[in-house]
Amino acid sequence: MLTVHIISDSIGNTAKDVVDAALVQFSYGDVQYKVLKNSNVCTVEKVDCIISNAKEGDVIVQTLVDGTLSEYIKKKSLEKNIKVIDLLSEMLSTFEDKLGLKAKGNPGLNRKMGVEYFKRVDALEFAVKYDDGKDINGLREADIVILGVSRTSKTPLSLYLANRNIKVMNVPIVQGLVLPEQLYEVKRKIIGLTNSVEQLNKLREERLKTLGVDENTDYTDEIQIFEELEYAIEVMEKLGCPIIDVENKAIEETAELIIGIMRERGLVI
């Protein structure tokens, strides 16, 4: 029986996938083998333990970014006549040569990137699910709750912040509609947005044009917009939340202001 020892300074899933992909090519014969995965191997002591349990004829497949530890494995394996397949060293040295840079040498970077990716996807899905106050059940899970009247950039901000792995829920402020009482339970997470009457009028007219709707409605009436903004400010002040004027601000600029406020409150990293 062939025994393959995977030695990785991270989880070792990448090496396991490569080994499985290679061994499946021999599935037509009466082949017997086992694959032993050794994760988070970062010390000589762990290496010694693995090699002491390996026997002549076994194979070691290693994915270590630590060159010194990688060479140590090769030396100790040679003493026991154990074949070593190094999946990373030659690749790293080739890339270092071609790129003119030294590899970081940090174990598990790929896995960490994967974790960040899934956190981002989770945040984006959250932003879509809880956009425009569709479902108030996201209030407690949200990292940030954005309030504002229509066209104050609530949705674009939610999605931009989601790309920073921040879960954002946004809730519209509409005259005559009572906001959920649960907002008072998460006051420290809330950020209010406002804008000028003139810019909101322009944004709303452009919005209606894209929808092919008549622009002469209460939605674009400046007196109506003024009253909406006054009502929104009143609501935000009652909640005691910070209020950001987004007039002439890029989404990125407003987002950084929000992150700064939340960092001061110890609510986001």
Side-chain angles (χ1 to χ4, degrees):
M1 175 186 288
L2 171 65
T3 301
V4 180
H5 304 265
I6 292 173
I7 302 179
S8 172
D9 47 24
S10 185
I11 293 177
N13 287 343
T14 301
K16 178 70 163 55
D17 289 343
V18 172
V19 169
D20 288 344
L23 288 173
V24 77
Q25 298 299 319
F26 303 93
S27 58
Y28 61 87
D30 185 18
V31 176
Q32 291 187 321
Y33 63 85
K34 63 179 177 180
V35 179
L36 305 176
K37 188 172 70 170
N38 302 278
S39 305
N40 302 312
V41 179
C42 300
T43 64
V44 168
E45 289 75 21
K46 281 192 175 183
V47 168
D48 286 340
C49 181
I50 294 165
I51 293 179
S52 68
N53 291 317
K55 62 182 184 298
E56 183 176 350
D58 287 357
V59 174
I60 289 177
V61 177
Q62 65 172 24
T63 53
L64 299 175
V65 295
D66 184 334
T68 302
L69 198 58
S70 173
E71 289 303 314
Y72 180 78
I73 290 174
K74 292 174 185 176
K75 177 186 173 185
K76 299 299 289 186
S77 299
L78 185 62
E79 294 172 3
K80 293 188 69 171
N81 197 26
I82 296 171
K83 172 69 176 177
V84 177
I85 300 172
D86 192 332
L87 293 181
L88 269 186
S89 292
E90 185 178 352
M91 189 183 301
L92 286 174
S93 63
T94 299
F95 288 161
E96 285 178 340
D97 181 54
K98 296 296 182 182
L99 296 171
L101 297 169
K102 290 293 291 181
K104 288 183 177 179
N106 295 338
L109 281 181
N110 191 51
R111 176 167 55 90
K112 290 171 189 173
M113 288 171 65
V115 170
E116 289 301 303
Y117 169 77
F118 287 112
K119 282 174 66 178
R120 188 171 304 116
V121 169
D122 193 30
L124 285 165
E125 289 178 347
F126 186 91
V128 172
K129 182 177 181 179
Y130 296 107
D131 181 47
D132 214 27
K134 285 183 256 184
D135 185 349
I136 63 166
N137 291 318
L139 283 172
R140 287 189 177 86
E141 190 181 345
D143 298 313
I144 297 171
V145 179
I146 294 175
L147 297 184
V149 301
S150 177
R151 311 313 291 171
T152 46
S153 303
K154 297 187 302 297
T155 298
L157 269 168
S158 297
L159 294 172
Y160 181 88
L161 290 166
N163 271 295
R164 302 279 292 270
N165 303 346
I166 300 170
K167 291 183 177 180
V168 184
M169 176 178 180
N170 73 76
V171 180
I173 297 178
V174 181
Q175 274 184 298
L177 291 182
V178 179
L179 287 170
E181 283 295 318
Q182 292 93 324
L183 281 171
Y184 289 91
E185 299 173 15
V186 295
K187 289 194 294 183
R188 295 186 72 244
K189 297 181 183 180
I190 298 175
I191 296 288
L193 304 178
T194 189
N195 205 333
S196 69
V197 172
E198 295 76 20
Q199 190 165 10
L200 276 179
N201 171 262
K202 182 180 176 183
L203 290 170
R204 291 183 178 188
E205 284 183 348
E206 289 173 356
R207 174 63 174 161
L208 293 182
K209 278 182 187 176
T210 62
L211 294 174
V213 178
D214 183 6
E215 299 166 38
N216 298 314
T217 66
D218 287 345
Y219 184 65
T220 56
D221 181 76
E222 291 196 355
I223 294 175
Q224 175 68 25
I225 293 172
F226 175 79
E227 290 176 356
E228 284 183 43
L229 288 171
E230 288 290 293
Y231 175 72
I233 293 293
E234 184 181 323
V235 169
M236 294 171 194
E237 288 179 344
K238 189 175 179 182
L239 284 164
C241 67
I243 302 171
I244 298 174
D245 187 344
V246 300
E247 184 178 16
N248 299 322
K249 283 188 177 67
I251 294 296
E252 296 85 352
E253 184 181 356
T254 305
E256 289 305 320
L257 288 172
I258 291 173
I259 291 171
I261 292 168
M262 290 302 166
R263 278 180 178 155
E264 286 178 6
R265 295 181 170 192
L267 294 178
V268 298
I269 298 175

